[in-house]
Amino acid sequence: YASVLNGSGFMAIEARTGKVKWHTQLADTSPFPPILDEDSAYVITGSCTLYRIARSNGKVLWSRWLSPSIHSMPALSHGRVFAAATDRKDRSGRGSWHLVCLDAKTGHELWAEPLGSDIVGAPLVGREHVYVSLQDGNLAAVELSRGKTSWKKDVQARSMPVAWRDRLAYFVDRGLATVDSSGGKESWTITAEAGAGQAAASTSFPFPMISGDRAYMVFNGTEMHCVDLVKKESKWRFSVKGDTLGAPVMVGGRVYVGGSSGRFRSLDAATGRELWSV
């Protein structure tokens, strides 16, 4: 399932053959990948309209305009869609940033809670709360059931949060920080070494790459650290010259990372040894 840049469409492609199964025309194209559930694809376009599209035939089941301008991505969980929005569907009233909760099947608004700013990345949905980092540096926890803010704190967050044990981890200007997910109490911060530079990658969808008790972070664009979150120490580092590393991902015991030169690397997640590059 993919958006079409030239022509503002959305299509389903057979994975085995590459044959186009169906093609649906939208108002414009999507800057984000679709979110999928069992029978639908949820797509947000550049003009900030959220669509629910049937995976079987490409039919638009509902659409909802969210805002004149938006830089975050919705989240899908518990049969609901959570997204940043400013106005109602008819574009009347509200006018400031809210977290809206929509019924995934109908698009009906279940609740809307004021935020004060757009969301960074996407909401993180937990068992009882939706956690959001905001563009103004605040981190907030909103109740799933009622849509009421349990806590909100200015922690200078620079990325969406990631769950780690009973905490939330997120990038700050020069490292990684955590707070207690139940009340937002700040726990600790792992800062960059002197001269290492900023930790958060400059992407439109920044989030810490955490697997188990280890985080994989790029400092200053050229050096990746594997950090033990329990001992709060670096386990290994991998450096490059003449390249700027992007945000890493860890899958199956390997860390994969691309660079500005076009080189793509695979590292051993336990040791940081480069296994191959292309």
Side-chain angles (χ1 to χ4, degrees):
Y1 300 90
S3 295
V4 183
L5 184 62
N6 186 11
S8 302
F10 186 76
M11 64 170 57
I13 303 170
E14 292 286 355
R16 290 185 177 180
T17 65
K19 181 181 178 181
V20 176
K21 185 177 180 181
W22 49 256
H23 181 283
T24 298
Q25 190 68 32
L26 302 177
D28 60 350
T29 193
S30 173
F32 296 113
I35 306 171
L36 305 177
D37 63 16
E38 187 175 352
D39 55 11
S40 304
Y42 300 83
V43 182
I44 185 169
T45 64
S47 60
C48 311
T49 299
L50 177 64
Y51 292 87
R52 179 191 174 206
I53 301 173
R55 290 176 58 173
S56 59
N57 56 19
K59 179 181 178 181
V60 174
L61 302 175
W62 57 259
S63 65
R64 164 71 184 257
W65 185 76
L66 297 175
S67 174
S69 177
I70 195 169
H71 300 283
S72 59
M73 186 175 173
L76 173 67
S77 184
H78 299 81
R80 303 177 184 182
V81 178
F82 303 89
T86 56
D87 293 343
R88 297 185 184 276
K89 188 176 182 179
D90 61 3
R91 305 191 183 189
S92 66
R94 195 165 293 161
S96 61
W97 285 107
H98 282 64
L99 175 66
V100 294
C101 173
L102 310 176
D103 183 284
K105 290 191 176 297
T106 65
H108 175 68
E109 183 179 297
L110 302 176
W111 50 256
E113 176 69 350
L115 294 177
S117 181
D118 193 2
I119 294 171
V120 177
L124 171 67
V125 185
R127 291 182 179 181
E128 298 179 351
H129 289 87
V130 184
Y131 302 99
V132 290
S133 290
L134 305 178
Q135 298 282 355
D136 60 8
N138 276 279
L139 184 62
V142 181
E143 291 183 19
L144 267 173
S145 57
R146 302 187 305 153
K148 300 301 180 183
T149 300
S150 294
W151 55 262
K152 180 180 179 182
K153 293 190 176 182
D154 185 358
V155 294
Q156 295 300 301
R158 297 292 181 258
S159 75
M160 66 176 290
V162 172
W164 176 66
R165 296 196 176 191
D166 59 349
R167 303 174 189 176
L168 303 172
Y170 52 93
F171 283 131
V172 290
D173 277 338
R174 289 184 57 79
L176 183 74
T178 64
V179 297
D180 185 335
S181 60
S182 62
K185 181 180 179 181
E186 294 182 53
S187 301
W188 47 255
T189 302
I190 298 174
T191 57
E193 297 177 4
Q198 191 163 319
S202 57
T203 66
S204 59
F205 201 90
F207 62 93
M209 181 68 251
I210 295 177
S211 178
D213 289 328
R214 292 189 173 189
Y216 303 87
M217 300 187 294
V218 174
F219 289 103
N220 211 31
T222 61
E223 187 170 272
M224 185 189 301
H225 286 241
C226 171
V227 178
D228 186 311
L229 297 178
V230 177
K231 297 180 180 179
K232 296 185 281 293
E233 63 183 20
S234 179
K235 302 300 293 185
W236 54 256
R237 63 184 64 185
F238 174 80
S239 299
V240 294
K241 292 182 179 180
D243 204 356
T244 301
L245 299 177
V249 61
M250 204 287 270
V251 182
R254 295 188 178 188
V255 178
Y256 300 94
V257 63
S260 59
S261 66
R263 185 158 295 279
F264 190 70
R265 296 174 169 89
S266 172
L267 311 179
D268 186 302
T271 65
R273 180 174 63 92
E274 184 175 281
L275 302 174
W276 51 257
S277 69
V278 293

